[in-house]
Each structure stands twice: as C-alpha cells, then as structure tokens.
Amino acid sequence: MGIYSDSFKTIILINYVTMKIVSPCVSVCVTEPITGFCYGCARTEEEKQAWKNPETKEKWKKEQLSVLKSRMSGFQLKAFTQSYNYKKKSGTSLIKEARLNLDRN
C-alpha cells in the first residue's frame, strides 16, 4: 500500500480500507423545487444531512443508494451511475474532475 500525493486517491484508499459507502454526491447540487430532490443524486436536504452524520449506519447508506436510483430514470440515471462509479474508483465525480481539469488549464 503506497502513499498517494493526490488527495482524491487517498480518500478512496481510506474508503476501501474502512469499507465505507461513498457519498452519492456527483457535484451537480441543484435542488428541484417541486420534489425537493437534487438533480444530481436525487437526495433531499434531510438525506444529505443524514449522509454527513457520523452516526448514520453503512447499512442505511447502502439501502439509500437503491432508493435514490429508484427516483431516477433515463439520462439522469445513466449519468448518475457513470459518475458515481467513476467517483468510487477515482475519488471524484466526472463533473468535479472536468472542473479541476479546466482550472488546471
């Protein structure tokens, strides 16, 4: 196990070692005003707070991922799935990665 200078890779390494469920935030963070669901991850503000709470169990988070995906369809579900899978591997969402690349150039 090596030490990574990239903080995102360090986060993933920590998540892998501790087996924590990665937050479903994919860096879209805009709430749909009628349903109250985030366009990116389909969470409510209350659910976002629960994810941040250190007392929230991993079992709840795993179940919540299924609930969130059930709220999505079409391109939203496809985009979320791609970005979330990328985030689990790299430590950052596709959108955040694109923003970081723009800032570097």
Side-chain angles (χ1 to χ4, degrees), residues 21 23-24 43-58 60-61 64 68:
I21 306 280
S23 165
R43 292 183 294 173
T44 64
E45 289 302 317
E46 294 80 17
E47 290 165 339
K48 290 177 184 180
Q49 293 306 313
W51 275 85
K52 293 176 185 177
N53 184 338
E55 301 297 315
T56 301
K57 305 289 184 208
E58 295 299 303
W60 179 86
K61 291 178 180 181
Q64 189 67 13
L68 299 176

Side-chain angles (χ1 to χ4, degrees), residues 19-48:
M19 301 307 287
K20 293 198 179 267
I21 306 280
V22 175
S23 165
C25 178
V26 291
S27 304
V28 173
C29 307
V30 177
T31 302
E32 199 283 321
I34 295 171
T35 64
F37 297 144
C38 174
Y39 283 114
C41 65
R43 292 183 294 173
T44 64
E45 289 302 317
E46 294 80 17
E47 290 165 339
K48 290 177 184 180

